Amino acid sequence: DLATALNDRGQVRYLRVEFAAAVEDYTAAIECQPGFEVPYYNRGLVLYRLGDFDEAMKDFRKVLELNPRFEDAALSLKQAMLDKEAKQKRGY
């Protein structure tokens, strides 16, 4: 289906370090199928790598809302929270 295809293309772009394009694909996949948790997770990972911890945490929380058993999302959420806290302690 289209949402899966967009998510998959986002993965390819992510692996090519084309982060902006990957985020666009994940967002399009979400718009096609809002109940599909995987593109939220993938977009969250890109946002995390870009240092946008708040937006990453929103995506990880949405994943867990859709699928509470998605363990990688729970771990990623915890890590994003820790890294945001550490960043704030360093003053930037």
Side-chain angles (χ1 to χ4, degrees):
D1 67 79
L2 182 57
T4 300
L6 288 164
N7 181 72
D8 291 350
R9 186 172 71 180
Q11 284 295 97
V12 171
R13 288 176 164 175
Y14 174 76
L15 293 171
R16 291 181 178 166
V17 195
E18 297 170 3
F19 294 144
V23 167
E24 287 176 16
D25 282 341
Y26 298 139
T27 301
I30 289 164
E31 289 168 357
C32 282
Q33 192 176 334
F36 184 23
E37 72 270 20
V38 176
Y40 288 101
Y41 176 70
N42 290 333
R43 185 174 69 181
L45 291 176
V46 175
L47 294 168
Y48 172 84
R49 283 203 56 190
L50 294 172
D52 191 347
F53 300 126
D54 290 329
E55 290 302 310
M57 288 187 292
K58 283 183 193 175
D59 277 347
F60 297 143
R61 285 187 180 107
K62 182 64 178 180
V63 172
L64 294 169
E65 177 187 312
L66 293 168
N67 180 358
R69 300 170 87 124
F70 200 125
E71 291 182 27
D72 286 344
L75 292 171
S76 295
L77 175 59
K78 287 178 189 172
Q79 190 61 54
M81 292 168 77
L82 291 170
D83 289 350
K84 179 184 176 184
E85 186 179 306
K87 183 179 176 183
Q88 288 173 331
K89 284 181 181 176
R90 289 191 307 265
Y92 56 85

